Amino acid sequence: MSKKKIIIEPDNILREKSEPIEKVDDELKILMDDMLETMYAAPGIGLAAVQVGILKRLIVIDISKNDEGKDPLFLVNPEIIFRSKKTSTYEEGCLSLPGHYAEIERPAECHINYIDYNGKQKNLKADGLLATCIQHEIDHLDGVLFIDYLSKLKKDMILKKLIKHKKELKKIIL
Ligand code: K1U
Ligand code: ZN
């Protein structure tokens, strides 16, 4: 397994739509394992392939607490087939927007169809943090970030700080 570099906003690739995956083969399983390692190391509770520069409809999620043991979910070609009218609000973070958090309102429950690590078609009914995380990650597959739900003023403030942060990172690396 190898850890991958997480792409930070602003970056055009984060605004692109990811492509459906044709089959779950050994190469895809290596990518799924690498993404999980990258997510645990960050640390985070979710990661979409586009965040490591790969425009495929693939997500890894693990919302379990440290003391609960690991419980990873691999979602290939996830599709939301139901969104509840009831909403819930969580303070969201994003590994591509380091240091920035905001309260985002989304459907409280969602149902999805997806393909799992072994290539089997599955469905899942999610609520709570899992439903929020799934919707946040599927947004990544469509080029959407949580800052897109904020006012222009708040979004621009975050983008300005991220541009500065990336310039400082570049100086350290050079
Ligand atoms: O960048 C990402 O998509 C991952 C993101 C997922 C997410 C978090 C919160 C609400 C919705 C989606 C993160 O994992 S940010 C980091 C984070 O939430 C976290 C980090 C360490 C421990 C617990 C949570
Ligand atoms: Zn994110």
Side-chain angles (χ1 to χ4, degrees):
M1 289 214 284
S2 67
K3 217 174 80 178
K4 296 193 174 286
K5 192 175 148 243
I6 296 175
I7 295 172
I8 308 293
E9 171 78 347
D11 189 309
N12 290 342
I13 195 167
L14 292 173
R15 296 327 196 144
E16 287 192 33
K17 202 172 159 74
S18 296
E19 291 292 327
I21 290 167
E22 278 174 17
K23 65 172 191 299
V24 178
D25 55 15
D26 288 348
E27 196 187 332
L28 191 80
K29 285 184 182 180
I30 290 171
L31 174 60
M32 291 197 257
D33 294 341
D34 288 350
M35 281 174 58
L36 194 67
E37 184 183 346
T38 306
M39 184 194 79
Y40 284 141
I45 56 169
L47 188 71
V50 60
Q51 293 179 277
V52 292
I54 296 164
L55 286 165
K56 288 185 178 171
R57 298 190 80 79
L58 171 64
I59 290 167
V60 296
I61 290 178
D62 189 346
I63 61 156
S64 63
K65 305 241 164 61
N66 284 341
D67 54 351
E68 286 173 353
K70 293 187 165 113
D71 189 15
L73 255 178
F74 299 92
L75 308 179
V76 176
N77 296 341
E79 264 185 74
I80 298 182
I81 52 167
F82 168 78
R83 290 176 177 85
S84 64
K85 288 218 174 70
K86 192 182 148 210
T87 60
S88 62
T89 302
Y90 273 91
E91 182 169 70
E92 297 192 16
C94 181
L95 300 175
S96 296
L97 305 164
H100 298 279
Y101 302 87
E103 301 259 314
I104 306 292
E105 185 182 9
R106 300 183 186 267
E109 196 188 334
C110 68
H111 300 174
I112 56 165
N113 285 338
Y114 67 99
I115 297 167
D116 74 3
Y117 190 88
N118 298 306
K120 271 185 82 176
Q121 191 71 50
K122 293 266 178 82
N123 53 70
L124 174 71
K125 293 179 177 172
D127 60 11
L129 177 59
L130 181 59
T132 292
C133 191
I134 287 172
Q135 293 171 72
H136 174 116
E137 300 307 332
I138 291 179
D139 269 356
H140 275 302
L141 304 184
D142 295 321
V144 175
L145 299 172
F146 80 69
I147 50 172
D148 301 340
Y149 299 110
L150 303 178
S151 67
K152 186 175 173 344
L153 183 72
K154 280 188 187 162
K155 181 176 171 174
D156 287 350
M157 263 170 52
I158 292 175
L159 282 172
K160 211 171 135 188
K161 285 185 184 157
L162 285 169
I163 290 166
K164 198 169 159 218
H165 170 76
K166 283 183 86 172
K167 273 191 191 150
E168 275 156 13
L169 277 182
K170 246 189 181 170
K171 268 195 242 162
I172 295 166
I173 292 162
L174 286 178

